[in-house]
Amino acid sequence: MYRAPVEDIAFTLKHVAGMKSGLDAGAFGDLGEDLVDAVLGEAGRFATEEVAPLYKIGDEHGAVLKDAAVTTPPGWKELYRRWIDGGWNALSGPEEYGGQALPTMLGVAALEMWNSAAMAFGIGPTLTMGAVEALDKHASEDLKAKYLEKLVSGEWMGTMNLTEPQAGSDLAALRARAEPAGDGTYRIFGQKIFITYGEHDFTDNIIHLVLARLPDAPAGTRGISLFLVPKFFVNDDGSLGGRNDVFCSGLEHKLGIHASPTCTMIYGDGFQGARPGAIGWLIGEENKGLACMFTMMNNARLCVGMQGVAVAEAATQKAIAYANERRQGKAAGYVGAGMAPIVHHPDVQRNLLTMKALTQTARAISYCCAHAIDMTRVSDGDEAAHWRDRANLLTPLAKAFSTDVGVEVASLGLQVHGGMGFIEETGAAALYRDARIAPIYEGTNGIQAIDLVTRKLPLGGGEHVHGYIAELKASADQVRTSNRDGFGRTADALDAALGDLTQATAFLQKLSADGRTDQALAGATPYLRLISLAAGGAYLARGALADQGRTALCRFFAENLLGEARALKERVIDGAESLAAAGKTLISA
Amino acid sequence: MYRAPVEDIAFTLKHVAGMKSGLDAGAFGDLGEDLVDAVLGEAGRFATEEVAPLYKIGDEHGAVLKDAAVTTPPGWKELYRRWIDGGWNALSGPEEYGGQALPTMLGVAALEMWNSAAMAFGIGPTLTMGAVEALDKHASEDLKAKYLEKLVSGEWMGTMNLTEPQAGSDLAALRARAEPAGDGTYRIFGQKIFITYGEHDFTDNIIHLVLARLPDAPAGTRGISLFLVPKFFVNDDGSLGGRNDVFCSGLEHKLGIHASPTCTMIYGDGFQGARPGAIGWLIGEENKGLACMFTMMNNARLCVGMQGVAVAEAATQKAIAYANERRQGKAAGYVGAGMAPIVHHPDVQRNLLTMKALTQTARAISYCCAHAIDMTRVSDGDEAAHWRDRANLLTPLAKAFSTDVGVEVASLGLQVHGGMGFIEETGAAALYRDARIAPIYEGTNGIQAIDLVTRKLPLGGGEHVHGYIAELKASADQVRTSNRDGFGRTADALDAALGDLTQATAFLQKLSADGRTDQALAGATPYLRLISLAAGGAYLARGALADQGRTALCRFFAENLLGEARALKERVIDGAESLAAAGKTLISA
């Protein structure tokens, strides 16, 4: 079973993602390494001892809907209670409302551990934290006063209500409507689908954040507003009042994360005889809802990226443990009696090392993204702008690369288990099932790649990304000057990959400048993979430079996985024409 | 829902895999193109209209065990009956026992269609056909007379009993035992696991082929014998007698192929008060069981490869259909009203074209393998030896590459569906689940790669593979001399990939000659992918040369997917040292 890799996480935060220098420079106020270690250690203990044991029952039992009420799997409600009692929901929440305001880096590190232990558990609080952030930044003081404290503590949970059957990736197609009631509130009508933890028994109240259109709002995304719709009304003394006209009409039967209720939510249909119209309060300005929601979504994208890292870590641990137990055949390197543990077979080692290296690269990228978010908060002026650009650049990498890695690593992990991997009891299959949603929700990975190419490469007049590549190159240079034998051809491999990255970047920037967007979009996904692999390689090198024990894995990555970079560059530069030509044949008459 | 791609299949058989020239040369006796088309058309109709509609209930209901009897999902028993009544089980069976003795090419083409329609259905008869082949080649005339006719017709089904809890990939560890009873029969004792269709309600009798050890047999694989153990004894008049002492004690709860019962079989435990000891008959010679079983396994490996092709085809069809229906966002190429069908987005096209191209390459490789098997049968002397080598060379490619492709394509297909892909009702998730077993059973793909490098590269004194590469190169040359604009840089890409393949091949052959097997094993999996991609590219080119309409997809493959070849070559040549160094760190103290 999963054991939180606290040391690995702490190392990556401090020595790869930049937390150590931040701490040393006093960037995070009083926060010191002792507290960081204590928080990570305790989170690791909770994830390992409390969350992980409930994974299996969660997967097998799932969430159950009866009479518009959802029951979570046995023990999960109590787990959530212990979890918020431990203060975990409040970790990075605003101090003003009872949060501990710890850096995002610590928040996502803890989040990784909850998600490794049980992804269906980890996804719930992610939505609450997103709601906290959106309210904190955009809501009126009244709304903040009424809702934030209990959302920060986790006594209530939050949800994000975007998707409708016809409006998934394209929110312009949204139809849910909001009518001003004349008393400052609005009446909300419509159906939302795929609402994670839209209904459940963890908390007494659920605070829905809902996108809807006002009457006469402009068409498209400029006519969308954001509303707060509580399940139960909240009296001025904070006690709960009557039931709002919102209810869960169905749960999806999903491939994975069975314990996480994925709800169809009906707003304003006269639930239980109520006067139709769910009562909602506007967050931010009318018709500016999408901007408010993006506050949540950027955060959520990094959080979903952590799910990719998390599943990859859990799958890697499980596969390494199995490979050390299971004995089959003879292996040249094994001198013991009888059959060799399969971990001695080179082909099994190749799978396990690929899993380990990909997991660590995805983790490093995601933590670096969190670091940039933290630095944005503690700096100002040009420096803040620099870190904001960095966070924006790394968000699609953290989301898409990490979740692709989650799927790939879970699949390799299942493979290492042989026939046992296909049997549900083993648990490898459950990770393979759970992992598969993360490349889809919070913006599909294809949309992340498009975001990267069309919105992130132009940051800083197109210079930000080149500055980033130069930083990565500095790590490659350090590898070269280290003259450490164990690095093998790492420096050459990094240089080659970073050279490919530079070329592909300049090429895509030129296409965009020339207005050839469609050609750039054709290369978006290979480009996202290319920059992620090159960055990941440099981050592994940074880790190895700080800790010699990490050299071998860094070299394995450089010499076995980084070679893909060149083919990716070629796809970016030379792939679009043939894609367009062949793509036409896919379209039905 | 799945529609059998009969035209595509017929085209690949005839113009890529070599059936046309075989037919024209009269290699297959009376068999003409008319009959080939008729068989394919009728198989396609049956798969589309009869099998595919029962996929979903099979997945949802699964096989159920009660009192040692397994019930298949509603309608499946009747489906099987209609299927054997159509003569489909007998398609490539020996004529002497009622089979139609049609080429393996036709058999695997039909098999692809059954498996696309429902993989859990397609896997059952695969085992029966394997049993037919093993009996036909190795059994005594008495056994053949008693069992073959009904196995060929499908009135009875066959099974393969190899795996035991401690003996999966490594059959040397096998413990099931067989004691001579003194009357020419044997008493079999032991437990077998993962027995596909080990027990079911399709047929009145089930003929188990079981590996076991005789008393005092040599240790390891040289002490294994093969036995025929019927579920019910067969009287001399062909009627069924009493029940044998073999029963199903459990069904696995699997990730996918739910309708296929995966059984734990208990031999010789005194089932229902029987005198303990399942009665078995020796097939072939004592202690030569593994050779007999390999007859079945080679055939089964190609058949499992077809499952990879089959799932990839089904996933591709489903994704293309969905992408033409689902509308989201705007696309540069779309001039219609409202949101564009997502098939117009370049990133979606990239996914779909990748799926389509990989499916077609895997199909071409697998059909070429079947062609080689057929040519072995209709030729003799050096020519037969040549084709035998070719079939042996291509078998690990057909098995491992195709089943890897099955998983990759099913995963991409799910992704194209966005959020709907994660919902079980859509059906994309079921393909992702089903696909995952194929890289594991019948020898994991890692073992296929080892087989390729250690047993297949040395064929013909190491020359056979180079002759094969030269044939592939001839297709690349034809692309170049065709001067067809639509090919773009296809010829260059093929030449580069084939050059990489030649280098990697020579390198691995040299390693083996030098006795550095472990280093060769480290590169086995990347090598298998390399040769498969290069071969697949050449086969797509062969298709495009025969049919101009196939040029665009061939070019897409060459310019977008074939670039991976160089990185794979580098892994083969340069990857082993770092793998060995890092691999050590995986081993528990």
Short mmCIF file of all heavy atoms in Angstrom, two decimals, chain A residues 473-513:
data_model
loop_
_atom_site.label_atom_id
_atom_site.label_comp_id
_atom_site.label_asym_id
_atom_site.label_seq_id
_atom_site.Cartn_x
_atom_site.Cartn_y
_atom_site.Cartn_z
N LYS A 473 18.87 25.64 -19.39
CA LYS A 473 20.19 25.42 -19.99
C LYS A 473 21.30 25.58 -18.95
O LYS A 473 22.32 24.87 -19.00
CB LYS A 473 20.37 26.43 -21.14
CG LYS A 473 21.70 26.36 -21.88
CD LYS A 473 21.78 25.12 -22.76
CE LYS A 473 23.00 25.16 -23.69
NZ LYS A 473 24.26 24.99 -22.95
N ALA A 474 21.07 26.49 -18.00
CA ALA A 474 22.08 26.67 -16.95
C ALA A 474 22.28 25.38 -16.16
O ALA A 474 23.40 25.03 -15.78
CB ALA A 474 21.65 27.81 -16.02
N SER A 475 21.19 24.64 -15.94
CA SER A 475 21.33 23.35 -15.25
C SER A 475 22.11 22.37 -16.11
O SER A 475 22.95 21.61 -15.60
CB SER A 475 19.95 22.77 -14.92
OG SER A 475 19.29 23.58 -13.97
N ALA A 476 21.84 22.38 -17.41
CA ALA A 476 22.59 21.50 -18.31
C ALA A 476 24.08 21.84 -18.25
O ALA A 476 24.94 20.95 -18.22
CB ALA A 476 22.06 21.63 -19.73
N ASP A 477 24.39 23.14 -18.23
CA ASP A 477 25.79 23.57 -18.17
C ASP A 477 26.45 23.10 -16.88
O ASP A 477 27.62 22.69 -16.88
CB ASP A 477 25.88 25.09 -18.27
CG ASP A 477 25.47 25.59 -19.66
OD1 ASP A 477 25.41 24.77 -20.60
OD2 ASP A 477 25.20 26.80 -19.80
N GLN A 478 25.70 23.18 -15.80
CA GLN A 478 26.26 22.72 -14.52
C GLN A 478 26.56 21.23 -14.54
O GLN A 478 27.53 20.77 -13.94
CB GLN A 478 25.28 23.02 -13.38
CG GLN A 478 25.34 24.44 -12.88
CD GLN A 478 24.34 24.64 -11.75
OE1 GLN A 478 23.17 24.92 -12.00
NE2 GLN A 478 24.79 24.45 -10.53
N VAL A 479 25.70 20.48 -15.23
CA VAL A 479 25.98 19.04 -15.36
C VAL A 479 27.30 18.86 -16.09
O VAL A 479 28.16 18.07 -15.68
CB VAL A 479 24.84 18.34 -16.13
CG1 VAL A 479 25.23 16.92 -16.51
CG2 VAL A 479 23.56 18.32 -15.29
N ARG A 480 27.48 19.61 -17.15
CA ARG A 480 28.70 19.46 -17.94
C ARG A 480 29.94 19.82 -17.12
O ARG A 480 30.92 19.08 -17.10
CB ARG A 480 28.64 20.33 -19.20
CG ARG A 480 29.74 20.05 -20.20
CD ARG A 480 29.58 20.83 -21.50
NE ARG A 480 28.36 20.53 -22.22
CZ ARG A 480 28.16 19.41 -22.93
NH1 ARG A 480 29.11 18.49 -23.00
NH2 ARG A 480 27.04 19.22 -23.58
N THR A 481 29.87 20.93 -16.42
CA THR A 481 31.06 21.36 -15.67
C THR A 481 31.26 20.53 -14.41
O THR A 481 32.33 20.58 -13.81
CB THR A 481 30.96 22.86 -15.29
OG1 THR A 481 29.73 23.08 -14.61
CG2 THR A 481 31.00 23.73 -16.53
N SER A 482 30.25 19.77 -14.01
CA SER A 482 30.42 18.95 -12.79
C SER A 482 31.44 17.84 -13.01
O SER A 482 32.05 17.34 -12.07
CB SER A 482 29.09 18.32 -12.38
OG SER A 482 28.79 17.20 -13.21
N ASN A 483 31.61 17.45 -14.28
CA ASN A 483 32.53 16.35 -14.59
C ASN A 483 32.26 15.09 -13.79
O ASN A 483 33.17 14.31 -13.53
CB ASN A 483 33.99 16.77 -14.37
CG ASN A 483 34.50 17.62 -15.53
OD1 ASN A 483 34.15 17.34 -16.68
ND2 ASN A 483 35.28 18.63 -15.22
N ARG A 484 31.01 14.92 -13.40
CA ARG A 484 30.71 13.72 -12.61
C ARG A 484 30.49 12.55 -13.56
O ARG A 484 29.62 12.59 -14.44
CB ARG A 484 29.44 13.98 -11.78
CG ARG A 484 29.18 12.91 -10.73
CD ARG A 484 27.83 13.12 -10.08
NE ARG A 484 27.75 14.34 -9.27
CZ ARG A 484 26.59 14.83 -8.81
NH1 ARG A 484 25.45 14.23 -9.06
NH2 ARG A 484 26.59 15.93 -8.08
N ASP A 485 31.26 11.49 -13.39
CA ASP A 485 31.20 10.33 -14.28
C ASP A 485 29.80 9.78 -14.43
O ASP A 485 29.37 9.41 -15.53
CB ASP A 485 32.10 9.20 -13.73
CG ASP A 485 33.49 9.28 -14.31
OD1 ASP A 485 33.70 10.15 -15.18
OD2 ASP A 485 34.35 8.50 -13.89
N GLY A 486 29.11 9.69 -13.31
CA GLY A 486 27.80 9.04 -13.31
C GLY A 486 26.79 9.69 -14.23
O GLY A 486 25.77 9.08 -14.56
N PHE A 487 27.05 10.92 -14.65
CA PHE A 487 26.11 11.61 -15.53
C PHE A 487 26.14 11.07 -16.96
O PHE A 487 25.22 11.35 -17.74
CB PHE A 487 26.40 13.12 -15.56
CG PHE A 487 25.67 13.90 -14.51
CD1 PHE A 487 26.36 14.76 -13.65
CD2 PHE A 487 24.28 13.81 -14.38
CE1 PHE A 487 25.68 15.50 -12.68
CE2 PHE A 487 23.60 14.55 -13.41
CZ PHE A 487 24.30 15.39 -12.56
N GLY A 488 27.19 10.32 -17.31
CA GLY A 488 27.25 9.77 -18.67
C GLY A 488 27.08 10.87 -19.71
O GLY A 488 27.73 11.92 -19.65
N ARG A 489 26.15 10.66 -20.64
CA ARG A 489 25.91 11.65 -21.70
C ARG A 489 24.76 12.59 -21.37
O ARG A 489 24.12 13.15 -22.27
CB ARG A 489 25.61 10.91 -23.01
CG ARG A 489 26.84 10.22 -23.62
CD ARG A 489 26.46 9.38 -24.83
NE ARG A 489 25.49 8.35 -24.48
CZ ARG A 489 25.82 7.16 -23.97
NH1 ARG A 489 27.08 6.85 -23.76
NH2 ARG A 489 24.87 6.29 -23.65
N THR A 490 24.49 12.79 -20.10
CA THR A 490 23.35 13.63 -19.70
C THR A 490 23.45 15.04 -20.27
O THR A 490 22.45 15.58 -20.78
CB THR A 490 23.25 13.68 -18.16
OG1 THR A 490 23.05 12.35 -17.66
CG2 THR A 490 22.11 14.58 -17.71
N ALA A 491 24.64 15.65 -20.16
CA ALA A 491 24.76 17.04 -20.62
C ALA A 491 24.48 17.15 -22.12
O ALA A 491 23.75 18.06 -22.56
CB ALA A 491 26.16 17.58 -20.30
N ASP A 492 25.00 16.20 -22.89
CA ASP A 492 24.73 16.22 -24.33
C ASP A 492 23.23 16.07 -24.62
O ASP A 492 22.68 16.77 -25.47
CB ASP A 492 25.48 15.07 -25.04
CG ASP A 492 26.98 15.31 -25.04
OD1 ASP A 492 27.40 16.45 -24.75
OD2 ASP A 492 27.71 14.34 -25.32
N ALA A 493 22.63 15.15 -23.91
CA ALA A 493 21.20 14.89 -24.15
C ALA A 493 20.37 16.12 -23.79
O ALA A 493 19.42 16.48 -24.50
CB ALA A 493 20.75 13.67 -23.35
N LEU A 494 20.71 16.76 -22.68
CA LEU A 494 19.98 17.96 -22.28
C LEU A 494 20.18 19.08 -23.30
O LEU A 494 19.23 19.76 -23.69
CB LEU A 494 20.44 18.44 -20.90
CG LEU A 494 19.89 17.66 -19.70
CD1 LEU A 494 20.58 18.12 -18.42
CD2 LEU A 494 18.37 17.84 -19.58
N ASP A 495 21.42 19.27 -23.70
CA ASP A 495 21.69 20.32 -24.69
C ASP A 495 20.91 20.09 -25.98
O ASP A 495 20.32 21.03 -26.54
CB ASP A 495 23.19 20.37 -25.02
CG ASP A 495 23.97 21.14 -23.95
OD1 ASP A 495 23.32 21.76 -23.09
OD2 ASP A 495 25.21 21.10 -23.99
N ALA A 496 20.89 18.85 -26.41
CA ALA A 496 20.17 18.54 -27.65
C ALA A 496 18.68 18.83 -27.48
O ALA A 496 18.05 19.47 -28.34
CB ALA A 496 20.39 17.08 -28.04
N ALA A 497 18.13 18.39 -26.36
CA ALA A 497 16.69 18.59 -26.14
C ALA A 497 16.35 20.07 -26.02
O ALA A 497 15.34 20.55 -26.56
CB ALA A 497 16.24 17.84 -24.90
N LEU A 498 17.21 20.81 -25.33
CA LEU A 498 16.94 22.25 -25.16
C LEU A 498 17.13 23.00 -26.48
O LEU A 498 16.41 23.97 -26.75
CB LEU A 498 17.83 22.82 -24.05
CG LEU A 498 17.45 22.32 -22.65
CD1 LEU A 498 18.56 22.62 -21.64
CD2 LEU A 498 16.13 22.91 -22.18
N GLY A 499 18.05 22.52 -27.29
CA GLY A 499 18.19 23.10 -28.62
C GLY A 499 16.95 22.84 -29.46
O GLY A 499 16.43 23.76 -30.13
N ASP A 500 16.44 21.63 -29.40
CA ASP A 500 15.20 21.31 -30.12
C ASP A 500 14.05 22.18 -29.61
O ASP A 500 13.23 22.66 -30.39
CB ASP A 500 14.85 19.83 -29.93
CG ASP A 500 15.81 18.90 -30.67
OD1 ASP A 500 16.40 19.35 -31.67
OD2 ASP A 500 15.96 17.74 -30.23
N LEU A 501 14.02 22.36 -28.31
CA LEU A 501 12.96 23.16 -27.71
C LEU A 501 13.03 24.62 -28.19
O LEU A 501 12.01 25.22 -28.53
CB LEU A 501 13.06 23.10 -26.18
CG LEU A 501 12.10 23.99 -25.40
CD1 LEU A 501 10.65 23.67 -25.72
CD2 LEU A 501 12.35 23.85 -23.89
N THR A 502 14.24 25.14 -28.22
CA THR A 502 14.40 26.52 -28.67
C THR A 502 13.90 26.69 -30.10
O THR A 502 13.16 27.63 -30.42
CB THR A 502 15.89 26.92 -28.59
OG1 THR A 502 16.32 26.77 -27.23
CG2 THR A 502 16.11 28.37 -29.02
N GLN A 503 14.29 25.76 -30.95
CA GLN A 503 13.87 25.82 -32.35
C GLN A 503 12.36 25.73 -32.50
O GLN A 503 11.73 26.51 -33.21
CB GLN A 503 14.46 24.63 -33.10
CG GLN A 503 15.77 24.89 -33.80
CD GLN A 503 16.17 23.65 -34.59
OE1 GLN A 503 16.80 22.76 -34.03
NE2 GLN A 503 15.79 23.59 -35.85
N ALA A 504 11.79 24.77 -31.81
CA ALA A 504 10.33 24.57 -31.92
C ALA A 504 9.58 25.78 -31.38
O ALA A 504 8.56 26.19 -31.94
CB ALA A 504 9.92 23.30 -31.18
N THR A 505 10.11 26.37 -30.31
CA THR A 505 9.47 27.54 -29.70
C THR A 505 9.47 28.70 -30.69
O THR A 505 8.43 29.34 -30.92
CB THR A 505 10.21 27.93 -28.42
OG1 THR A 505 10.24 26.80 -27.54
CG2 THR A 505 9.52 29.10 -27.73
N ALA A 506 10.65 28.98 -31.24
CA ALA A 506 10.76 30.09 -32.18
C ALA A 506 9.86 29.85 -33.39
O ALA A 506 9.21 30.77 -33.90
CB ALA A 506 12.22 30.25 -32.62
N PHE A 507 9.80 28.60 -33.83
CA PHE A 507 8.97 28.27 -34.99
C PHE A 507 7.50 28.57 -34.71
O PHE A 507 6.82 29.21 -35.52
CB PHE A 507 9.16 26.79 -35.35
CG PHE A 507 8.32 26.35 -36.50
CD1 PHE A 507 8.74 26.57 -37.80
CD2 PHE A 507 7.10 25.71 -36.29
CE1 PHE A 507 7.95 26.16 -38.88
CE2 PHE A 507 6.32 25.30 -37.36
CZ PHE A 507 6.74 25.53 -38.65
N LEU A 508 7.02 28.14 -33.55
CA LEU A 508 5.60 28.37 -33.23
C LEU A 508 5.32 29.85 -33.03
O LEU A 508 4.26 30.35 -33.42
CB LEU A 508 5.20 27.58 -31.97
CG LEU A 508 5.11 26.07 -32.16
CD1 LEU A 508 4.81 25.38 -30.83
CD2 LEU A 508 4.03 25.71 -33.19
N GLN A 509 6.25 30.56 -32.42
CA GLN A 509 6.05 32.00 -32.24
C GLN A 509 5.96 32.71 -33.58
O GLN A 509 5.15 33.61 -33.77
CB GLN A 509 7.18 32.58 -31.38
CG GLN A 509 7.08 32.12 -29.91
CD GLN A 509 8.23 32.61 -29.05
OE1 GLN A 509 9.37 32.69 -29.52
NE2 GLN A 509 7.94 32.92 -27.79
N LYS A 510 6.79 32.26 -34.52
CA LYS A 510 6.75 32.86 -35.85
C LYS A 510 5.41 32.57 -36.54
O LYS A 510 4.81 33.45 -37.16
CB LYS A 510 7.92 32.30 -36.67
CG LYS A 510 7.96 32.69 -38.14
CD LYS A 510 9.11 33.64 -38.43
CE LYS A 510 9.24 34.07 -39.87
NZ LYS A 510 8.01 34.34 -40.60
N LEU A 511 4.95 31.34 -36.43
CA LEU A 511 3.66 30.99 -37.02
C LEU A 511 2.56 31.90 -36.49
O LEU A 511 1.73 32.41 -37.24
CB LEU A 511 3.29 29.54 -36.70
CG LEU A 511 3.90 28.41 -37.50
CD1 LEU A 511 3.25 27.09 -37.08
CD2 LEU A 511 3.74 28.62 -38.99
N SER A 512 2.55 32.07 -35.16
CA SER A 512 1.51 32.90 -34.56
C SER A 512 1.64 34.33 -35.06
O SER A 512 0.63 34.98 -35.37
CB SER A 512 1.61 32.86 -33.04
OG SER A 512 1.42 31.53 -32.59
N ALA A 513 2.87 34.82 -35.13
CA ALA A 513 3.08 36.18 -35.62
C ALA A 513 2.58 36.33 -37.05
O ALA A 513 2.06 37.36 -37.44
CB ALA A 513 4.57 36.53 -35.54
#
